Amino acid sequence: MNPTDVLVVGAGPTGLMLACELAQAGVRCKVLERRTEQPNLTRAFAVHARTLELLDARGLAEDLLERGVPVRQVAPAPGATLDLRKLRTRYPMVLIVPQSGTEHLLEARARELGVEIVRGAEVVGLRQDDRRAVLELAGGRTETASYVVGCDGAHSTVRGLVGIEFAGKQYETHILLADVRVTEPPQDALFAEASNEGVVLMVPFGDGWFRAIAWDRLREQVPLDVPLPMEEMRDAFLRIAGTDFGMSEQRWSSRFLSERRQAARYRAGRVFLAGDSAHVHSPLGGQGMNTGIGDAMNLGWKLAAALHGRGPDGLLDSYERERHRVGAQVLTLTDAFNRLVLGRSAIRRALRNLTLRLALRYGRSRGFLAGRLTGLGIHYPPADRHAHPWTGRRMPDLRCAEGRLYELLRDGRHLLVDSTPSGAVARAAGDAVKVARHEGPGVPGAVLVRPDGYVAWAADRGDLPAEAMAAVTRWCGTPASTHPARP
């Protein structure tokens, strides 16, 4: 028996979220992090509605809300505004919160669940066979587990060691980043302005500091290792937005070159990739950390099911099938934003802006864009083409007799929702699975909800009690194996 079930490489938001999911499911996991200290730098700062729903399903969303600034509307392009308050979710917003705040929250939960986080652990080698994976660390030490998950960023060592191609390109325009204090903060919670000279954004952290971001065509080819003084950032804001908001102090700055790349595969034997190890893209749209947390939520319960000997055949392979498609969609979305905002042809930018403004006028196209941007529209096409239309889709946060649905998911188990008038499905399930009763229109008679808040199975007609129990056995195992525990 391997001493550890899963080794997670990387203690960023993706790795920490995955560790929490595994530990809650009784999986022995360990996080290995190359950095010796937890950084205070903030790369990601946008937490979208679907990510807040996923965190809500583990009781973490409300704590994160206290750390951030909610933004109720966004402008994907000049003159094109998307009102997030109209979203059908408990969290109709994008929450602006430093990545460090998200990491502190997830690390505290991981440690509470008993996860060991080892800092200063640099992976230098990897080998695997049909029973185990072995990581070689700098200094000659090794770690052995049943599975390894690389959550170690865009320059992933794990991805390189298993030889997975990271195909794509670099964007030409360098991005200027700085954390600043201002004497005249913008009135908009999330300020953005574009001109022929570039784009600037001002993002509040809620503690008096702001993240200033600039795509400045005048400075787009300055080498990345050249220091970025506050005067250069002030000049970019003055030329592009007509104001620098009284930048008075700068605590950190950097030049950054974004990329558009995706791993050809998310799995190589006993090794998986998640987060930036699997996909990187333009920061426009704030998708990176959200997609990584979605990866972790999808993979966590599947690894746990495989280790506990339950779940349908091919369950682990479904991680790549489901999340590679989502990663590709995110790359397409962020690349479109990048071309929309930073394209070199002023005529093309104007035409794209006009197209987007027109699209946001109409309900269907507006809903599609909102679903992609917020993650609420993510769904997984079912393997069975005869499956119920709800299969693979995000489960809404229903009010059930036992409580709110996403609160009922907080133990990380599957949830069977019975909406039949007679309650026959709930009676048939007994203690085989967690059950909730829902009364109201618009919901299938029986729905089996996955631990990550997506629908595993649903049905309206037929012998619902018998079919529901068949679905429970397929996805959750026999009643005796639905609550496994690891010492």
Side-chain angles (χ1 to χ4, degrees), residues 427-459:
R427 289 197 301 274
D431 295 329
V433 68
K434 191 171 185 177
V435 177
R437 284 279 294 141
H438 173 263
E439 297 180 3
V443 179
V447 181
L448 183 63
V449 185
R450 302 177 354 176
D452 59 354
Y454 290 88
V455 176
W457 167 89

Side-chain angles (χ1 to χ4, degrees), residues 77-211:
T81 301
L82 187 61
D83 189 349
L84 302 178
R85 290 168 293 191
K86 297 180 180 179
L87 296 173
R88 300 181 67 179
T89 174
R90 184 178 178 85
Y91 304 100
M93 67 181 76
V94 54
L95 185 70
I96 304 301
V97 60
Q99 178 177 321
S100 57
T102 304
E103 288 185 5
H104 282 297
L105 180 68
L106 293 175
E107 180 167 333
R109 173 58 61 88
R111 292 190 184 279
E112 179 184 314
L113 292 168
V115 175
E116 182 181 359
I117 300 173
V118 182
R119 296 193 176 273
E122 182 181 0
V123 175
V124 296
L126 186 157
R127 62 184 187 273
Q128 60 175 316
D129 55 31
D130 59 355
R131 296 183 300 107
R132 63 179 185 169
V134 180
L135 291 178
E136 300 170 7
L137 306 182
R141 191 159 56 90
T142 62
E143 292 279 357
T144 302
S146 299
Y147 295 98
V148 167
V149 185
C151 304
D152 50 339
H155 304 289
S156 171
T157 298
V158 172
R159 187 186 63 237
L161 289 171
V162 295
I164 294 178
E165 182 184 7
F166 202 41
K169 65 178 183 180
Q170 286 185 336
Y171 288 109
E172 295 181 16
T173 303
H174 293 184
I175 305 170
L176 311 182
L177 306 173
D179 287 354
V180 298
R181 283 193 184 275
V182 299
T183 58
E184 303 170 10
Q187 293 183 348
D188 296 337
L190 183 61
F191 173 85
E193 187 65 57
S195 75
N196 289 334
E197 297 197 47
V199 180
V200 293
L201 286 82
M202 187 70 79
V203 183
F205 288 151
D207 60 355
W209 289 92
F210 289 75
R211 167 62 53 83

Side-chain angles (χ1 to χ4, degrees), residues 35-103:
R35 300 169 299 182
T36 56
E37 296 180 357
Q38 190 175 41
N40 289 320
L41 297 183
T42 288
R43 293 177 176 85
F45 49 78
V47 184
H48 285 294
R50 182 53 180 167
T51 304
L52 288 169
E53 288 185 341
L54 295 176
L55 294 172
D56 180 35
R58 298 298 181 265
L60 295 167
E62 297 304 316
D63 287 342
L64 195 63
L65 285 174
E66 295 177 357
R67 301 168 183 249
V69 178
V71 175
R72 308 290 181 176
Q73 62 180 24
V74 295
T81 301
L82 187 61
D83 189 349
L84 302 178
R85 290 168 293 191
K86 297 180 180 179
L87 296 173
R88 300 181 67 179
T89 174
R90 184 178 178 85
Y91 304 100
M93 67 181 76
V94 54
L95 185 70
I96 304 301
V97 60
Q99 178 177 321
S100 57
T102 304
E103 288 185 5

